[in-house]
Structure formats: C-alpha cells, structure tokens
C-alpha cells in the first residue's frame, strides 16, 4: 500500500522533500541526526484549527500546549498568529513570555507546582489552573504577600475513559490530574472565600492522541454542566478551557484522524448549547499541542550499519535519546528511506537507535527498500513530544533543529556538544588537590 503523505512532504526523483528542501541535502548540509520543521505547515496547522473553531463561536482563544515543542522560534510564530499558551512549568512560562505571548493568554497548569512557580505566576500576572486545595491555600497566601489578586480556574477531572495509550489518558477517574467531581463545588466555594484569588475559569484536559471526537464532546458536556453548578454559586466565568488532545494519523497507511473542523463541529455546539442555557458568554479556550506541531517535523538520521541477525536490523544515529515516543508509549512513526523514497519497500527491517538499551527501537518489523549504510532515513511526525522529550542519555549531545520556509533554511537550535554536557559538572572541593 502507498503511504499517504501530508502535502508538505513530497517525493521527487527518488528523494523525500520537506517543503522545497531535499531531505538528503539537508542531512548533508547540517549533519545527522537532525530535526527539520516546515514553517508553512506550522502556520497552516494553526490557522486551520483556529478557523474551524471560530466558525462556530468567535470568542475562541487557542492556547498552544508548550510541552509539545518548546522551541522559542515555534512559540514566536504561534504568538504572532494570536496564540496564548498552556504552560506546565516556570521554564515554559518564561519561554511563552519571551515569545511575546501576553500574560492574559497564558494558563499555568500543573499538578505539582512549587511555591516558586506560584510566585512567578503571581508576579507575571498569568492565570493559574489549580489542581488541589493545598495549591489554592498556597496561592492565596503568596498573592496576599505580593498584594495581588490572581485569577484562577480549577482543573476538573471529568472521569472519562478515552481510547488512547494509558500513559496519555489524563482524565480518568484514577488519574493524578484534576479535582474529583464531588469536590468541585467545594473547591470553587473555597476559592470564593480567598481574598487574593478570584475563580474565573474552568479547565480540563482528557488526554492526548485521541482519534475520536466523541470523548471531547462528552467532556464539553460535563464542563458546561459543572459550569451551571459553579455559576449558581456566584462565580462569573470568563473562560472555559476544554484542553487539547486531538490526535494525528501516525500510521500513514491505516490511521485516519478527525480534522480540526470535525472536532469543532462535534464539540463547539455542545459548549454553545450549554452556555446559552445558562445565559453566560465565557471565552472558549482550547489547548492543542500535537495537532499543531506533530506533522510539521521530520527527524533525519543516518544508517550506520545494517545487520542480519534473527532479523534484519537497520542501526541509525537517532534513538530514544532524541525520540522517546516509541520506547515510552509504543508509538508508531512512519520511516522513509529519504534517498530511496520511490523504491519498492520489499524488505522487512527493525530500525534501532544507538542507545545501550534493548528497548531502543524506533520502528519494528517495517517494510523498507533494500537499505545500506550511509542511507538517510526520515522519521515522520516528530514535531510533537520529539525534541521536547529528548535527553542526553549515554552522554549523547542533543541534535540541532532546523526550520525551512520556502527556499530558506536555518538553524533554530544548535546541536549540543560533549563540552555542553561537561560544563554543568563540578569538581568537589574535597577532591581538589
Ligand atoms: C499535554 C497537554 C495538552 C496538549 O495535548 P495534545 O495532545 O498535545 O494536544 C493540553 N493541555 C494540557 C493540560 C496538557 O497537559
């Protein structure tokens, strides 16, 4: 079966192209391993998502989930298109502000924030999504000491089972995230009693890589129902945040994903019906991560060796140090031999990384063209949770990230060196001669 490629990936004269760029030439110019992102695709993904929702309701705010890909260049592009961000740490908050996102479009999420995190949120004037009663008490104290009033939401656990990998289902009744249904009203009541905190929103996020719109519609229904209970308490809701989670097709032969329009068509009417019934007009916030960045990026890697053992292994120079998803979530990523992209895929290989772990497998039992050392493989759909989850395991410096835009290409993050790794290490005083 032929692979269905998104329109920024094409095959010309046997080579895989990203935008106008030959992946083989990029690998030669910048070296491997190498992340390459297409700026046009990034922009069109954002616009498509934004427009799909705004067709139903003009008062929509997209909050890009910064953890999916925290490169500052990418955050700046989204900022210029009007995005805010869902940030999950002080570091991500700094990045979002640096990218030019206004504080009022930022929501500081997290189930285990430090007092320093909360102080930063207070100082910068961003909204905080609270995940526990302890956090409410701490934030009220910190805001009080600073003489400020902080706008908050609670993360609500909608207790719904979603069809995705258990490690990325975040809205189950048993999840570590959010406030249980029977404690939500108490949480808002407690917030209303805090002099330095104002509850103005509601937040949920049911999980990631979800390929069905039904769970999102169900979550929206739960959110507007809870909005009724909260409004009855006297809370004036200025936003309802329904989280992110819309998946993308990783298997380009078999998987289909709902489009952002199909997502919007299923979810926004439920939200609208609910708020009309309550006579309120909150902003609708959504927090896509993967859907905006996932398919924009390929990871290019060189074949170091091919070995026939009990099966045929293709040993490449990128492993779970750079792309953790297959090892962490058993994820599927399409692999294309970029310099043999039009050749028949007639040989079965397992593509493995250079890390000293049996589990360092990027793709198992895949049909590829006859592959040899020096070939360049492209691992598709690595824009989300790729570089952002990369590590220096095995003392391997992280690779560069390149952006392409029309005819142009440039480095948006340089590769690290072993010196970068060494620079953080210190000699202990009692070991000095
Ligand atoms: C991870 C996350 C998102 C984004 O999830 P995607 O599946 O990448 O869209 C949104 N909101 C919160 C709170 C998250 O933790």
């Amino acid at each position: 079966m032929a692979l269905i490629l998104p329109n920024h990936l094409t095959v010309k004269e046997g080579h895989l192209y990203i935008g106008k760029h030959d992946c083989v030439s990029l690998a030669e110019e910048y070296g491997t391993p190498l992340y390459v992102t297409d700026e046009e695709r990034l922009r069109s993904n954002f616009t498509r998502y934004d427009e799909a929702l705004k067709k139903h309701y003009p008062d929509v705010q997209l909050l890009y989930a910064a953890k999916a890909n925290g490169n500052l260049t990418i955050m700046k592009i989204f900022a210029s298109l009007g995005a805010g961000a869902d940030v999950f740490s002080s570091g991500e908050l700094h990045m979002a502000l640096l990218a030019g996102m206004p504080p009022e479009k930022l929501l500081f999420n997290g189930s285990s924030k430090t007092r320093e995190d909360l102080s930063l949120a207070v100082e910068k004037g961003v909204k905080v999504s609270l995940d526990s009663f302890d956090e409410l008490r701490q934030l009220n104290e910190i805001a009080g000491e600073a003489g400020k009033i902080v706008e908050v939401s609670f993360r609500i656990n909608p207790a719904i089972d979603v069809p995705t990998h258990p490690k990325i289902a975040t809205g189950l009744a048993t999840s570590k995230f959010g406030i249980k249904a029977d404690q939500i009203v108490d949480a808002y009541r407690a917030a209303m009693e805090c002099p330095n905190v104002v509850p103005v929103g509601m937040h949920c996020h049911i999980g990631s890589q979800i390929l069905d719109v039904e769970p999102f519609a169900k979550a929206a229904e739960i959110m507007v129902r809870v909005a009724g209970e909260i409004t009855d308490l006297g809370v004036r809701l200025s936003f309802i945040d329904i989280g992110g989670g819309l998946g993308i097709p990783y298997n380009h032969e078999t998987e289909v994903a709902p489009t952002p329009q199909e997502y919007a068509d299923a979810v926004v009417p439920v939200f609208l019906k609910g708020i009309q019934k309550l006579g309120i007009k909150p902003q609708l916030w959504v927090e896509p991560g993967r859907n905006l960045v996932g398919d924009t990026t390929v990871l290019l890697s060189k074949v170091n060796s091919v070995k026939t053992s009990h099966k045929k292994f293709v040993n490449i120079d990128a492993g779970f140090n750079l792309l953790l998803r297959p090892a962490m979530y058993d994820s599927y990523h399409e692999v294309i031999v970029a310099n043999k992209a039009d050749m028949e895929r007639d040989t079965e290989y397992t593509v493995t990384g250079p890390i000293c772990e049996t589990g360092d497998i990027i793709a198992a039992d895949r049909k590829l063209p006859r592959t040899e050392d020096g070939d360049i493989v492209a691992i598709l759909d690595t824009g989300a949770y790729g570089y952002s989850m990369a590590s220096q395991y095995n003392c391997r410096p992280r690779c560069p990230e390149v952006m392409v835009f029309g005819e142009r290409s440039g480095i948006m993050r340089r590769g690290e060196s072993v010196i970068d790794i060494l620079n953080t290490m210190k000699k202990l005083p009692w070991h000095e001669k």
Side-chain angles (χ1 to χ4, degrees):
M1 249 161 62
L3 298 182
I4 299 161
L5 294 178
N7 58 20
H8 62 296
L9 297 179
T10 50
V11 175
K12 279 181 225 158
E13 285 159 14
H15 283 196
L16 180 72
Y17 277 65
I18 179 164
K20 292 196 160 66
H21 297 261
D22 181 345
C23 288
V24 180
S25 311
L26 288 169
E28 270 166 22
E29 184 178 350
Y30 296 101
T32 60
L34 182 71
Y35 273 107
V36 184
T37 299
D38 182 22
E39 179 167 345
E40 275 153 3
R41 184 69 180 189
L42 207 63
R43 290 175 176 276
S44 65
N45 281 356
F46 183 91
T47 310
R48 186 166 82 135
Y49 216 97
D50 202 38
E51 285 175 355
L53 291 154
K54 284 180 178 162
K55 240 183 233 175
H56 289 276
Y57 187 57
D59 210 3
V60 169
Q61 179 61 52
L62 254 63
L63 274 68
Y64 169 57
K67 75 177 189 288
N69 187 326
N71 190 294
L72 188 59
T73 298
I74 289 174
M75 307 264 301
K76 279 183 177 169
I77 292 167
F78 287 144
S80 76
L81 294 170
D86 145 38
V87 298
F88 226 80
S89 68
S90 289
E92 287 182 359
L93 175 54
H94 283 301
M95 294 292 279
L97 291 169
L98 259 178
M101 290 170 175
E104 61 273 16
K105 289 186 185 176
L106 302 181
L107 186 64
F108 199 141
N109 286 315
S111 54
S112 185
K113 303 183 194 79
T114 63
R115 293 183 76 95
E116 290 74 22
D117 292 333
L118 296 173
S119 294
L120 185 70
V122 170
E123 181 196 326
K124 301 295 181 189
V126 305
K127 295 182 179 67
V128 178
S129 181
L130 296 168
D131 206 290
S132 64
F133 286 85
D134 277 356
E135 209 174 71
L136 169 65
R137 175 177 45 77
Q138 293 165 10
L139 183 66
N140 184 52
E141 276 168 25
I142 290 166
E145 283 158 18
K148 293 202 179 167
I149 291 178
V150 185
E151 295 187 323
V152 302
S153 59
F154 283 97
R155 176 152 171 177
I156 285 154
N157 183 346
I160 52 181
D161 201 354
V162 291
T164 189
H165 191 281
K167 282 188 185 156
I168 46 176
T170 55
L172 306 177
T174 52
S175 158
K176 76 168 179 176
F177 297 109
I179 308 277
K180 278 171 77 219
D182 60 0
Q183 298 175 356
I184 294 167
V185 170
D186 285 345
Y188 279 87
R189 196 178 285 123
M192 290 179 79
E193 284 164 9
C194 290
N196 293 89
V197 160
V198 198
V200 297
M202 294 168 58
H203 176 224
C204 79
H205 172 66
I206 59 173
S208 199
Q209 185 52 14
I210 298 166
L211 293 174
D212 178 6
V213 296
E214 260 323 290
F216 295 110
K218 205 158 115 193
E221 196 182 312
I222 293 168
M223 290 294 274
V224 286
R225 189 165 68 219
V226 176
E229 297 172 36
I230 294 168
T231 305
D232 286 347
L233 283 181
V235 172
R236 294 169 64 133
L237 287 171
S238 63
F239 72 88
I240 294 181
D241 183 339
I242 57 173
L246 182 60
I248 60 170
Y250 281 102
N251 185 320
H252 287 244
E253 281 179 353
T254 61
E255 232 167 11
V256 270
T259 61
Q261 192 62 61
E262 285 164 339
Y263 165 83
D265 292 349
V267 172
V268 189
V270 176
F271 165 81
L272 284 180
K273 201 172 134 196
I275 62 165
Q276 274 154 14
K277 214 166 95 188
L278 298 171
I280 58 173
K281 274 197 171 162
Q283 277 197 333
L284 174 60
W285 286 14
V286 287
E287 302 175 335
R290 187 191 313 272
N291 207 277
L292 302 185
V293 290
D295 71 4
T296 63
T297 301
V298 295
L299 174 56
L300 301 180
S301 180
K302 187 178 274 175
V303 176
N304 286 326
S305 54
V306 178
K307 177 169 73 177
T308 303
S309 185
H310 71 290
K311 45 171 132 173
K312 290 191 169 71
F313 289 108
V314 172
N315 301 312
I316 63 173
D317 63 8
F320 79 54
N321 54 320
L322 294 176
L323 182 65
L324 185 59
R325 298 188 67 257
M328 176 100 168
Y329 310 119
D330 306 310
S331 308
Y332 185 99
H333 281 270
E334 220 56 86
V335 173
I336 293 179
V337 182
N339 55 314
K340 296 177 175 173
D342 60 351
M343 282 174 56
E344 199 182 338
R345 292 181 292 144
D346 57 2
T347 311
E348 192 168 283
Y349 292 106
T350 288
V351 181
T352 61
I355 297 300
C356 184
E357 295 277 346
T358 309
D360 187 26
I361 291 171
I362 294 290
D365 308 323
R366 295 295 176 80
K367 282 277 171 43
L368 297 176
R370 207 70 53 86
T371 299
E372 57 204 331
D373 48 331
D375 284 346
I376 299 295
V377 301
I379 306 160
L380 305 195
D381 306 307
T382 50
Y385 311 108
Y387 192 100
S388 65
M389 295 177 92
S391 73
Q392 297 168 328
Y393 187 35
N394 270 171
C395 198
R396 285 183 178 272
R398 279 168 292 212
C399 72
E401 293 181 295
V402 158
M403 183 75 93
V404 297
F405 188 53
E407 304 286 347
R408 285 171 287 185
S409 72
I411 292 174
M412 59 174 172
R413 171 156 23 206
R414 72 162 171 85
E416 293 168 336
S417 65
V418 175
I419 302 288
D420 289 320
I421 299 175
L422 270 172
N423 269 342
T424 57
M425 300 183 197
K426 301 261 196 206
K427 199 169 189 179
L428 294 165
W430 61 91
H431 290 165
E432 273 169 46
K433 278 260 152 62

